[in-house]
Amino acid sequence: RGEKAWMPLELRRATLAYAEKLFRGVGPVALTAKVDRAYRVEGKTLILVELKTRRSNRPYHSDVIELSAQRVALMRQTGDEVALHGYVVVRTEDGNRTAHRVSLLSPAEVDALIDRRAAILDGSIQPRLACASKLCNQCGFEKKCTSRRVEGNQAYKRWTT
């Protein structure tokens, strides 16, 4: 009961297919990702679960990217059908776990992020500032970034474009 109490209804009867397993997908770019958990629903579709411990009980955009990369690597290596949604299970300091359903990126969107990273690393494009200054402070490109910070409501619009 305790282990499954946090689980969304669709996963309660699912079987654990993979835990802490590394996948390498071959495609336009080789992609390697480690899956926290993948549950098989009704004997076919896999649903990914990412486990996080943090103070804030919410998923982040980086969680969506991480799960999306896992999805693409798993599909490309195994050919398995993986759902276009997954769950970020957040364990807070009080020990409570909450499963947050998130929509995942398509393989083309993941490939575009990989291409963007490569372009930033080779200097052919400039990185953009993140919406949260704490993210920028931790970034290795912070000093090189020439974009101006967009404050308030405009920050989200910039982040999604």
Side-chain angles (χ1 to χ4, degrees), residues 8 34 36 63 66 69 72 80 82 91 112 126 156:
K34 188 174 189 178
D36 274 359
D63 300 328
E66 185 176 1
V72 171
D80 285 342
V82 184
R91 181 176 177 211
Q126 290 292 313
Y156 179 75

Side-chain angles (χ1 to χ4, degrees), residues 61 130-131 150-161:
H61 188 61
C131 295
V150 179
E151 300 296 339
N153 292 336
Q154 296 301 313
Y156 179 75
K157 290 179 184 170
R158 179 164 184 174
W159 176 58
T160 60
T161 58

Side-chain angles (χ1 to χ4, degrees), residues 7-77:
M7 284 185 139
L9 288 176
E10 74 176 324
L11 295 182
R12 290 195 181 169
R13 291 198 173 160
T15 56
L16 181 63
Y18 303 108
E20 299 293 326
K21 183 159 172 64
L22 196 65
F23 292 92
R24 183 174 172 84
V26 194
V29 174
L31 177 64
T32 302
K34 188 174 189 178
V35 169
D36 274 359
R37 303 282 186 274
Y39 291 88
R40 193 170 305 278
V41 179
E42 298 174 2
K44 51 183 178 182
T45 304
L46 293 170
I47 297 178
L48 297 173
V49 174
E50 182 66 25
L51 307 171
K52 298 292 183 184
T53 301
R54 55 175 63 134
R55 289 183 181 163
S56 177
N57 186 8
R58 66 185 185 94
Y60 295 112
H61 188 61
S62 59
D63 300 328
V64 172
I65 294 169
E66 185 176 1
L67 277 169
S68 298
Q70 292 172 14
R71 177 178 181 262
V72 171
L74 195 157
M75 287 189 314
R76 288 182 179 163
Q77 179 178 325

